[in-house]
C-alpha cells in the first residue's frame, strides 16, 4: 500500500471551493445558514487535493428552492454577455434538485434518512437528521460533510473512521447489510476502486463475496444495472472500471453473463483510436462484454443467445441506433472476420468485407483475432489498414460524371463507380480524374 495521503483541512477545502465552478456563489448563498453542507464525492475529492466532477450539497429542507436560488445567482453574476445557460430541475420523490450549465453541475439534496423496504428496491426517503444523512451513504470516504455557513463553518463532520480511511485509501461500507440493501453499491465500489486507486477493506471484501454468492444482484432491476454499467463506461479509464467490476465477480452474476478481458479491450481500443474521428469506445466495450467465448469465429453460438441479448440491451436503455451497433457487431462479427481473412491483404477485398461494418466492430474483430489466432495476422492487419487508411479512399468522380458521359441513369452507374473505386483502392489508377472516369466507363 502507498503511504497515507495527507488531507486538506476543512478550511482549506473552503478555500479550494472558491475555485470550483459555482463555488463562490454557493458559499455566498450558504453564508448565515447553518444547514448547507458540501458532501459526498465533492468533499472527498477536495480533501484529497483533487477536482470533483460535480458539487454535492445537502440542505435541511427544500432542495428545489435552493437550486432555483443558486441558478438565479449564477445567472445574475454571469452578466448579460454570458452565453452560459443556467438551469435547474428537481426530483420530488427523492427530494433532490440539480443546477447545471455548460459542463458543470451542482447536485442539491434535502437532508434525509433512507429505508429499504426490500433488498435491491429503491429506498423510501424520509426526513433525517444530519447524522442520519451521513449514515445512509455507501462508503465511509463518501460520508463526510463540510458545513458551508453558520457557527460550524469549515468543521468537517464524518462517520467514524472516515478521514482515516480516506487518508489510507480504503473503501469501507458503513454497516454489514449495505450491499444487501442496495446491491448497486457493488458497482459503485468497483468504480471507486478503479478511479481512486483505493483498496477494499477486508471486512467489506468479505461482504462483497457474500452478497455476490447469495445472488443479491438478482433483486436489482435491469434498468438500474444498465445505469451502473453506463457509469462504468463513462469513466475516464473505462477499461480499468470494467476490470475492477469483473474482478469483484459482478459481471458473471448478471442475468446475461458478461465477460471481460482487459488485454483484448486495451488492444481493441488502441486499434479504434488509430481510426480517429467519431468513434464510440463504449459501444465497442459493450460488444466485447456480450461476446460469447469463441466470438467472432463461432458466431453461431451467438445466434442461440440472440433473444437474451436483445432483452438485455433493451434493459440497458441504450438508444436504438447504439443498440443496433452492438447487435450488428455481434451478429456479423464472424462474417467480418472471415471476409478480412479471405481478403488476403487485397485492399478492394478488405473494402468489400469492412465497408458495411461499424468502426467499432472492425477494431474489436481485429483485436480479438490477434489473441485467438496470431498477433498481426491477416485479420488484424486488414482491420488496421481499413481503419487508418482504406476507409478514407474516395473517388473524385461522381455519378453525375457518368451521366454526362452518356451512361443512362440506373444501377449500372453504381456498379461502374464501385468498379472504379476497387481499382483505385488496389493502386491501379493514377491520381487523375480522367483515369477514374476511364476505369468506370470500361467496367
Ligand atoms: P462521483 O465522483 O462518481 O460523482 P460521488 O461520490 O459524488 O461520485 P454520486 O453518485 O454523485 O457520487 O453521489 C453523491 C453521494 O451520494 C455519494 O458520495 C454518496 O455519499 C451518496 N450515494 C450515492 N449513491 C448512493 C448509494 N447507492 N448508496 C448510498 N449512498 C449513495
Amino acid at each position: 500500500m502507498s503511504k497515507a495521503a495527507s488531507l486538506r483541512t476543512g478550511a482549506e477545502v473552503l478555500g479550494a471551493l472558491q475555485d470550483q465552478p459555482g463555488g463562490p456563489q454557493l458559499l455566498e448563498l450558504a453564508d448565515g445558514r447553518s444547514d448547507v453542507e458540501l458532501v459526498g464525492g465533492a468533499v472527498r475529492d477536495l480533501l484529497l487535493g483533487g477536482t470533483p466532477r460535480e458539487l454535492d450539497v445537502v440542505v435541511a429542507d427544500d432542495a428545489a428552492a435552493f437550486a432555483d436560488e443558486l441558478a438565479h445567482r449564477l445567472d445574475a453574476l454571469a452578466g448579460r454577455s454570458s452565453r452560459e445557460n443556467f438551469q435547474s430541475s428537481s426530483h420530488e420523490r427523492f427530494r433532490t434538485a440539480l443546477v447545471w450549465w455548460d459542463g458543470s453541475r451542482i447536485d442539491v439534496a434535502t437532508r434525509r434518512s433512507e429505508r429499504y423496504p426490500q433488498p435491491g428496491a429503491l429506498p423510501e426517503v424520509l426526513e433525517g437528521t444530519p447524522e442520519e444523512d451521513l449514515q445512509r451513504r455507501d462508503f465511509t470516504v463518501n460520508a463526510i460533510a463540510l458545513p458551508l455557513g453558520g457557527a460550524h463553518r469549515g468543521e468537517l463532520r464524518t462517520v467514524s473512521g472516515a478521514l482515516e480511511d480516506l487518508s489510507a485509501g480504503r473503501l469501507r461500507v458503513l454497516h454489514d447489510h449495505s450491499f444487501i440493501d442496495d446491491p448497486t453499491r457493488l458497482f459503485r465500489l468497483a468504480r471507486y476502486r478503479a478511479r481512486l486507486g483505493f483498496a477494499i477493506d477486508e471486512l467489506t471484501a468479505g461482504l462483497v463475496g457474500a452478497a455476490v454468492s447469495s445472488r443479491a444482484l438478482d433483486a436489482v432491476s435491469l434498468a438500474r444495472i444498465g445505469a451502473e454499467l453506463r457509469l462504468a463506461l463513462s469513466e475516464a479509464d473505462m477499461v480499468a472500471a470494467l476490470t475492477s467490476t469483473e474482478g469483484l465477480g459482478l459481471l458473471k452474476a448478471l442475468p446475461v453473463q458478461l465477460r471481460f478481458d482487459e488485454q483484448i479491450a486495451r488492444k481493441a481500443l488502441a486499434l479504434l483510436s488509430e481510426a480517429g474521428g467519431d468513434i464510440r469506445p463504449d459501444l465497442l466495450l459493450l460488444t466485447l462484454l456480450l461476446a460469447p467465448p469463441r466470438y467472432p469465429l463461432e458466431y453461431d453460438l451467438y445466434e442461440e443467445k440472440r433473444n437474451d441479448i436483445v432483452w438485455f440491451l433493451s434493459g440497458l436503455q441504450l438508444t436504438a441506433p447504439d443498440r443496433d451497433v452492438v447487435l450488428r457487431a455481434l451478429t456479423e462479427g464472424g462474417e467480418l472476420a472471415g471476409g478480412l481473412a479471405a481478403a488476403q491483404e487485397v485492399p478492394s477485398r478488405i473494402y468489400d468485407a469492412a465497408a458495411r461494418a461499424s468502426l467499432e466492430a472492425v477494431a474489436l474483430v481485429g483485436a480479438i483475432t490477434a489473441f485467438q489466432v496470431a498477433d498481426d495476422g491477416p485479420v488484424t492487419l486488414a482491420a488496421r489498414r481499413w481503419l487508418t487508411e482504406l476507409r478514407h479512399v474516395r473517388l473524385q468522380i461522381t455519378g453525375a460524371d457518368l451521366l454526362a458521359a452518356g451512361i443512362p441513369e440506373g444501377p449500372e452507374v453504381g456498379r461502374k463507380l464501385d468498379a472504379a473505386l476497387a481499382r483505385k483502392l488496389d493502386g491501379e489508377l493514377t491520381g487523375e480524374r480522367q483515369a477514374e472516369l476511364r476505369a468506370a466507363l470500361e467496367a
Side-chain angles (χ1 to χ4, degrees), residues 343-367:
Q344 297 190 318
E345 296 171 43
V346 177
S348 59
R349 298 179 65 188
I350 296 176
Y351 178 98
D352 286 342
R356 278 172 303 281
S358 64
L359 301 180
E360 290 76 17
V362 176
L364 182 58
V365 161

Side-chain angles (χ1 to χ4, degrees), residues 39-45 52-56 105 107 112 114 116 133-139 141-144 178 182 184-185 188 191-192 195-196 224 228 231 235:
V39 286
V43 193
R44 178 197 70 217
D45 293 344
R53 305 207 289 192
E54 83 264 328
L55 300 179
D56 300 304
R105 63 183 268 176
D107 284 336
R112 62 191 198 240
E114 287 176 348
Y116 287 84
D133 193 75
L134 286 186
Q135 289 297 341
R136 74 177 170 85
R137 294 176 185 272
D138 47 3
F139 305 106
V141 296
N142 286 341
I144 305 175
S178 187
D182 181 358
T184 64
R185 290 173 184 159
R188 298 178 63 83
R191 287 201 306 276
Y192 288 131
R195 188 186 335 142
L196 302 170
R224 294 187 75 202
E228 296 301 325
L231 285 170
E235 288 286 324

Side-chain angles (χ1 to χ4, degrees), residues 170-389:
R170 190 164 48 224
L171 292 163
R172 187 158 62 89
V173 283
L174 273 60
H175 57 87
D176 289 359
H177 214 251
S178 187
F179 294 126
I180 303 299
D181 283 345
D182 181 358
T184 64
R185 290 173 184 159
L186 295 163
F187 287 91
R188 298 178 63 83
L189 180 73
R191 287 201 306 276
Y192 288 131
R193 175 169 71 154
R195 188 186 335 142
L196 302 170
F198 282 12
I200 300 176
D201 153 76
E202 216 177 295
L203 283 177
T204 298
L207 296 171
V208 171
V212 171
S213 49
S214 70
R215 304 215 54 85
L217 282 166
D218 287 354
V220 183
S221 71
L222 208 49
R224 294 187 75 202
I225 303 268
E228 296 301 325
L229 284 175
R230 278 201 306 278
L231 285 170
L233 290 170
S234 56
E235 288 286 324
D237 189 343
M238 306 175 210
V239 175
L242 290 173
T243 304
S244 171
T245 309
E246 155 80 14
L248 295 185
L250 308 187
L251 299 181
K252 279 199 290 289
L254 297 180
V256 168
Q257 268 198 23
L258 303 181
R259 271 176 216 83
F260 189 69
D261 183 311
E262 181 178 4
Q263 274 187 306
I264 292 179
R266 294 216 183 269
K267 177 148 191 127
L269 291 187
L271 262 177
L272 186 62
S273 70
E274 283 184 47
D278 200 6
I279 51 175
R280 290 286 303 274
D282 56 332
L283 297 183
L284 182 153
L285 292 179
L286 202 48
T287 311
L288 177 61
L289 285 169
L290 284 160
R294 288 190 45 78
Y295 173 89
L297 300 177
E298 289 181 14
Y299 61 101
D300 284 351
L301 272 182
Y302 161 68
E303 289 298 331
E304 290 165 24
K305 299 213 153 139
R306 189 184 163 87
N307 288 344
D308 281 1
I309 290 178
V310 171
W311 171 77
F312 186 71
L313 287 175
S314 330
L316 294 192
Q317 296 176 350
L318 290 187
T319 63
D322 287 358
R323 200 179 56 204
D324 284 348
V325 170
V326 176
L327 268 176
R328 282 196 49 198
L330 286 169
T331 34
E332 294 166 17
E335 204 180 315
L336 174 60
L340 292 176
Q344 297 190 318
E345 296 171 43
V346 177
S348 59
R349 298 179 65 188
I350 296 176
Y351 178 98
D352 286 342
R356 278 172 303 281
S358 64
L359 301 180
E360 290 76 17
V362 176
L364 182 58
V365 161
I368 293 192
T369 317
F371 287 93
Q372 287 172 341
V373 184
D375 201 3
D376 291 336
V379 175
T380 316
L381 287 176
R384 173 172 288 119
R385 193 144 181 225
W386 170 253
L387 293 170
T388 56
E389 176 198 335

Side-chain angles (χ1 to χ4, degrees), residues 28-56:
E28 272 172 37
L29 205 55
D31 193 33
R33 280 181 68 155
S34 59
D35 65 320
V36 183
E37 293 182 315
L38 192 69
V39 286
V43 193
R44 178 197 70 217
D45 293 344
L46 287 170
L47 279 169
L48 287 170
T51 306
R53 305 207 289 192
E54 83 264 328
L55 300 179
D56 300 304

Side-chain angles (χ1 to χ4, degrees), residues 399-408 437 441:
D401 295 299
L402 295 188
L403 297 180
I407 306 294
L437 190 56
L441 293 174

